[in-house]
Amino acid sequence: MIDLANQKVDTLPSVGEKSKQDLAELGIETIDDLLSYFPYRYEDFHISELTQAKHEEKVTIRGRVVAQPSVRWFGKNKSRMLVKLDVEGMIIHVIWYNQTYLKPKLLNGKVIVVSGKWDLYRRQVVAERTVINEEEQKRLLGRFDPVYSITNGIKMGWLRKLIYQAFAAFGSEIPEILPKELRNRYKLLPRAKAMYYLHFPKNRQEYALARRTMAYEELFLYECKLLWRKRTQTLQTTGIAHSFAEEQVDQLIESLAFPLTGAQQRVVREILADLKKEKQMNRLVQGDVGSGKTVVAAIALYANYLSGYQGALMVPTEILAEQHTDTLQKILSPFGMRVVTLTGKLTAKERRERRAEIEMGLADIVVGTHALIQEAVVYKKLGLVIIDEQHRFGVKQRAALRHKGESPDVLFMTATPIPRTLAITVFGEMDVSTIDEMPAGRQPIDTYWVKKEMWPRVIRFIEKEVTKQRQAYVICPLIEESEKLDLQNAQEVFEQLTIELAPIRVGLLHGRMTPAEKDAVMTAFANNEVQVLISTTVVEVGVNVPNATVIVIYDADRFGLAQLHQLRGRVGRGGGKATCILVANPKSETSVERMRIMTETMDGFVIAQRDLELRGPGDFLGVKQSGLPDFKVADLKEDGRILEVARQDAIRLIYHGAFATDPAAQRLLTWLQQEQMETDRLD
Ligand code: ADP
Ligand code: MG
């Protein structure tokens, strides 16, 4: 068999030096690249079912001309021609702009084919392509032409032909990847056929079958890779086997001001079990905003301490570092633990002192921002690393902390719940725990969406709440990442409210302030010396001031759903009935939809799912951060079911030795082994 991945494209006679370079620009260097350069859409000349067509959908129709064309001129060169067409008994209008040369051919009674956008309300099509010749109609109709993304040097027709030639020459060399049993079970096509149909489907059925086959294959391969890596990690027993008495941990839990929720208890047990194992823990805790992740972190850190190790807690902002330090101190210092903070606001001297404490082992827990990894922090005996709000960190930052010390256990926490299908893809290598229960007594947050015209009434509402001893956040957005504009915006609102709400005290918080300034404002707000806090999104993650019961989000349409949900989570944290007001005059349909979703649900998982649907997985996670693979055919928005099935099958192959006699499966395993050796070498 020929290895198509090593076969250069210029083995095809029609590829010369110039076209070889043009193809390379598209990332096509080998025959394998060429065969899997799939079209991103198809030119489709099927007659559409007009009664089913949606507004603005592109349609192709065939109908009989039933009246003379009427033409209107605008000046010398511009014209609009209208024809009444009988499409299976339905009379519609077809409009042509500046194509009066067609007029003599549009005779009464003539059957023509037209494609263009369907205007459902006016019952008309604006013609983009017109085919009057009967022979040509026959030739075109029912055809699917692949459309590839191309650069200047390459012509569509040429590329189509080239791919066709490549199939003729090498199609029989395309290796099977899927075990036969799986192909049979899901009625999938042989690989060569699926790839061919994906380029040149004769009809929708062929396309659908090919897409399903390739999507499954892609996801199956991906899961195999993930699981293979995970399995090799499991076999390496390089982690720390923590040893502690669970009764002592229980004492800490009993000392808390509240009983743990069932979900918190379950997740705590999962973490404790991981700590005891010799294998390095790699676990993600996902839990909605306010589900109580901090206390779970505290318990894990205590168990780690009982085993004789130091712990580190990394958070995305200084404010959060301060707050977590407070929380941990309250819970853990009665048990003899010493918590220190490492942030940017320390003086050089303080920083040296803290680093010394850490190095000598006097500090049991270090809480900090990415200062934890950036600086030359040396731990005496680091046993557990917790990364809070992990989605705020890049892949590299996360990895860096993991590699401090000797394979410490690692726990990630996130309040951005990820729909299940994405979770198993992005976090395929991690174990996932979910806190899917809120502490008792939480009331839903009343969420309203109002137009900007209501702003004066919103201000009166804030005033009313503050007179009831409550506190409020007013969030102003970042505009185009411009700190300057952002600041002005928050600044303006601050000035306005300072005047309008006097004598109520109003504070201002934004990313351009020094750490000390931020800290001062935040402390004042936490102590209720400031009642209304105007802020940019620096309070987005984690901040906990239970007495704040109102959050107003100005220009709310500028935020994504996940962010809005995070922001809303700053209120309703145990301080009584809470309200969230979204102030926005959204311009697009999707922004309106986002406002609606926010007013309809409080469930972070539902919101995440809707967000995924609105934005697609790439934007949803921010591809760079997420480590989400770029699939060629599969689409996680639609193929969630396939993904789950593919994962189950991959588990059978990797863990249970299934398909042992299948040559395709054996080839796949060999390939996985080689891939693994390759990545190990690169690490
Ligand atoms: P998040 O999961 O968003 O990080 P936090 O850990 O900040 O949430 O917890 C939110 C609030 O809920 C805190 O004030 C915390 O003390 C409180 N809390 C946590 N667990 C419970 C519980 N089981 N019962 C009651 N209140 C709880
Ligand atoms: Mg938190």
Side-chain angles (χ1 to χ4, degrees):
M1 251 192 162
I2 305 172
D3 183 2
L4 298 178
N6 281 326
Q7 197 77 13
K8 297 283 178 225
V9 267
D10 53 1
T11 53
L12 291 169
S14 46
V15 178
E17 198 49 41
K18 166 82 173 66
S19 41
K20 185 178 161 188
Q21 276 171 25
D22 291 336
L23 286 170
E25 252 179 68
L26 298 178
I28 303 173
E29 287 177 0
T30 67
I31 296 293
D32 189 40
D33 295 336
L34 184 64
L35 295 178
S36 39
Y37 194 73
F38 298 122
Y40 68 91
R41 67 177 183 90
Y42 302 85
E43 205 80 75
D44 174 359
F45 290 102
H46 288 74
I47 299 293
S48 321
E49 188 62 65
L50 212 45
T51 50
Q52 311 283 313
K54 294 192 190 82
H55 184 56
E56 305 235 289
E57 184 177 319
K58 193 169 169 193
V59 294
T60 302
I61 50 171
R62 179 164 47 190
R64 187 176 300 276
V65 177
V66 291
Q68 286 295 319
S70 66
V71 179
R72 267 176 62 193
W73 286 93
F74 307 92
K76 248 196 171 143
N77 302 319
K78 299 210 160 124
S79 68
R80 179 178 187 273
M81 178 165 67
L82 181 148
V83 161
K84 281 192 180 152
L85 209 62
D86 178 340
V87 181
E88 296 188 4
M90 176 155 88
I91 305 292
I92 68 158
H93 291 166
V94 181
I95 312 285
W96 286 267
Y97 288 103
N98 311 325
Q99 292 177 68
T100 44
Y101 61 89
L102 288 172
K103 190 179 167 195
K105 297 183 189 167
L106 295 170
L107 302 172
N108 210 335
K110 186 94 192 158
V111 173
I112 63 169
V113 172
V114 174
S115 52
K117 255 192 203 165
W118 173 233
D119 186 326
L120 178 67
Y121 306 106
R122 298 194 176 134
R123 310 203 136 254
Q124 75 182 25
V125 171
V126 177
E128 282 166 23
R129 179 164 183 169
T130 315
V131 187
I132 298 175
N133 180 301
E134 210 173 312
E135 282 304 303
E136 207 183 333
Q137 287 180 10
K138 273 207 194 108
R139 197 170 60 75
L140 276 179
L141 281 176
R143 205 164 103 178
F144 261 105
D145 280 343
V147 180
Y148 301 97
S149 72
I150 45 177
T151 48
N152 286 336
I154 289 177
K155 287 215 168 59
M156 192 66 77
W158 181 80
L159 185 59
R160 282 177 190 153
K161 248 190 231 136
L162 187 70
I163 293 176
Y164 192 84
Q165 285 167 5
F167 270 101
F170 296 101
S172 57
E173 304 289 336
I174 295 173
E176 206 53 69
I177 286 183
L178 294 177
K180 196 163 177 173
E181 185 197 317
L182 294 177
R183 262 191 295 136
N184 289 345
R185 173 160 359 125
Y186 305 120
K187 303 199 166 44
L188 302 175
L189 294 171
R191 184 152 190 265
K193 211 168 189 175
M195 288 176 73
Y196 181 80
Y197 282 176
L198 216 46
H199 289 281
F200 309 112
K202 276 204 291 298
N203 50 45
R204 269 177 204 287
Q205 286 79 353
E206 279 190 2
Y207 165 75
L209 202 52
R211 206 201 83 88
R212 194 162 68 92
T213 301
M214 292 310 289
Y216 175 85
E217 180 192 293
E218 211 171 14
L219 294 170
F220 178 72
L221 274 182
Y222 181 72
E223 288 299 334
C224 282
K225 266 197 253 181
L226 279 181
L227 292 168
W228 184 270
R229 243 180 289 160
K230 189 166 170 176
R231 199 186 81 143
T232 359
Q233 277 174 8
T234 316
L235 297 177
Q236 298 162 343
T237 48
T238 47
I240 301 164
H242 287 79
S243 116
F244 52 88
E246 286 211 25
E247 301 79 61
Q248 272 181 285
V249 177
D250 290 340
Q251 277 169 20
L252 176 86
I253 294 174
E254 275 154 35
S255 79
L256 295 170
F258 43 73
L260 293 183
T261 63
Q264 282 171 322
Q265 282 173 35
R266 193 189 66 236
V267 170
V268 162
R269 295 303 148 192
E270 284 165 359
I271 293 168
L272 296 185
D274 274 6
L275 284 172
K276 287 180 179 167
K277 282 188 201 141
E278 198 179 344
K279 184 196 148 200
Q280 185 178 26
M281 167 161 71
N282 186 19
R283 183 173 288 278
L284 174 77
V285 175
Q286 38 172 357
D288 209 344
V289 184
S291 61
K293 291 182 290 295
T294 317
V295 65
V296 171
I299 296 166
L301 287 165
Y302 183 54
N304 176 60
Y305 163 80
L306 290 176
S307 321
Y309 287 92
Q310 286 171 305
L313 175 61
M314 183 161 82
V315 296
T317 65
E318 311 240 331
I319 295 173
L320 211 51
E322 299 289 332
Q323 212 160 60
H324 276 348
T325 305
D326 276 1
T327 310
L328 292 181
Q329 244 153 15
K330 270 193 206 113
I331 300 176
L332 296 173
S333 51
F335 290 81
M337 289 179 70
R338 190 167 145 64
V339 186
V340 303
T341 327
L342 254 197
T343 61
K345 83 168 201 205
L346 299 176
T347 63
K349 179 163 171 279
E350 285 173 319
R351 207 167 307 168
R352 258 199 319 277
E353 281 167 11
R354 304 252 167 121
R355 281 213 300 259
E357 284 183 75
I358 296 165
E359 193 164 354
M360 290 188 289
L362 298 174
D364 301 310
I365 296 178
V366 190
V367 182
T369 54
H370 48 267
L372 288 192
I373 45 171
Q374 277 176 347
E375 295 179 26
V377 185
V378 181
Y379 297 86
K380 178 143 189 274
K381 223 180 159 197
L382 185 62
L384 174 64
V385 169
I386 302 182
I387 301 178
D388 195 21
E389 309 293 350
Q390 63 90 27
H391 60 287
R392 284 308 197 92
F393 294 101
V395 176
K396 283 224 178 77
Q397 288 171 311
R398 289 181 246 166
L401 196 46
R402 240 173 98 182
H403 289 118
K404 289 246 171 197
E406 289 161 51
S407 308
D409 281 340
V410 186
L411 194 60
F412 299 93
M413 304 204 150
T414 183
T416 304
I418 291 168
R420 198 185 128 69
T421 49
L422 270 189
I424 60 178
T425 307
V426 182
F427 303 116
E429 288 176 72
M430 290 190 208
D431 299 305
V432 178
S433 295
T434 305
I435 307 184
D436 50 7
E437 182 185 350
M438 284 289 174
R442 288 282 160 85
Q443 295 174 24
I445 300 166
D446 286 337
T447 303
Y448 304 99
W449 164 34
V450 302
K451 295 282 174 70
K452 285 185 183 173
E453 294 79 340
M454 299 278 276
W455 181 235
R457 288 182 55 185
V458 173
I459 297 175
R460 297 283 80 84
F461 177 79
I462 295 172
E463 190 172 30
K464 212 178 80 202
E465 287 301 300
V466 173
T467 53
K468 291 189 216 154
Q469 308 306 317
R470 295 306 186 189
Q471 288 170 270
Y473 296 95
V474 178
I475 309 297
C476 300
L478 253 129
I479 298 164
E480 290 167 353
E481 311 277 356
S482 154
E483 272 293 306
K484 203 158 165 235
L485 278 173
D486 156 37
L487 199 146
Q488 261 174 8
N489 204 349
Q491 182 81 37
E492 266 170 35
V493 174
F494 169 69
E495 283 163 14
Q496 186 195 9
L497 293 191
T498 303
I499 296 165
E500 291 217 19
L501 292 176
I504 291 170
R505 301 209 28 201
V506 181
L508 176 63
L509 182 70
H510 59 72
R512 274 198 154 187
M513 294 161 62
T514 66
E517 287 169 337
K518 280 193 227 169
D519 194 39
V521 176
M522 219 36 233
T523 309
F525 188 63
N527 295 338
N528 202 357
E529 290 150 20
V530 159
Q531 287 80 44
V532 179
L533 183 66
I534 317 299
S535 172
T536 58
T537 51
V538 287
V539 297
E540 177 192 336
V541 289
V543 169
N544 190 31
V545 179
N547 192 47
T549 54
V550 178
I551 185 161
V552 176
I553 307 174
Y554 199 82
D555 277 331
D557 54 322
R558 290 179 185 271
F559 299 105
L561 268 179
Q563 215 176 2
L564 288 172
H565 182 62
Q566 280 288 316
L567 286 167
R568 176 167 61 183
R570 294 312 107 225
V571 297
R573 304 177 77 83
K577 188 78 196 149
T579 312
C580 169
I581 302 175
L582 309 169
V583 185
N585 295 9
K587 287 174 193 69
S588 72
E589 235 348 272
T590 41
S591 308
V592 171
E593 188 59 22
R594 286 207 301 272
M595 298 303 110
R596 239 183 250 139
I597 293 167
M598 283 297 291
T599 56
E600 279 165 11
T601 181
M602 278 287 296
D603 185 329
F605 283 90
V606 173
I607 290 177
Q609 184 64 45
R610 299 300 306 276
D611 203 16
L612 176 63
E613 284 160 14
L614 284 178
R615 289 201 287 164
D619 289 334
F620 178 80
L621 289 157
V623 171
K624 263 187 251 103
Q625 294 252 324
S626 66
L628 191 68
D630 219 354
F631 292 118
K632 280 193 168 131
V633 180
D635 175 358
L636 292 177
K637 227 154 79 165
E638 286 163 22
D639 298 329
R641 270 290 297 157
I642 299 186
L643 177 65
E644 285 181 35
V645 171
R647 183 176 174 84
Q648 290 314 314
D649 295 331
I651 289 174
R652 286 177 55 210
L653 174 70
I654 305 294
Y655 282 98
H656 304 305
F659 323 115
T661 59
D662 191 299
Q666 296 318 306
R667 268 200 307 278
L668 180 55
L669 288 173
T670 315
W671 178 76
L672 287 169
Q673 234 154 14
Q674 283 163 355
E675 273 261 314
Q676 176 78 39
M677 283 178 346
E678 189 69 10
T679 38
D680 285 352
R681 202 172 53 79
L682 292 176
D683 266 355

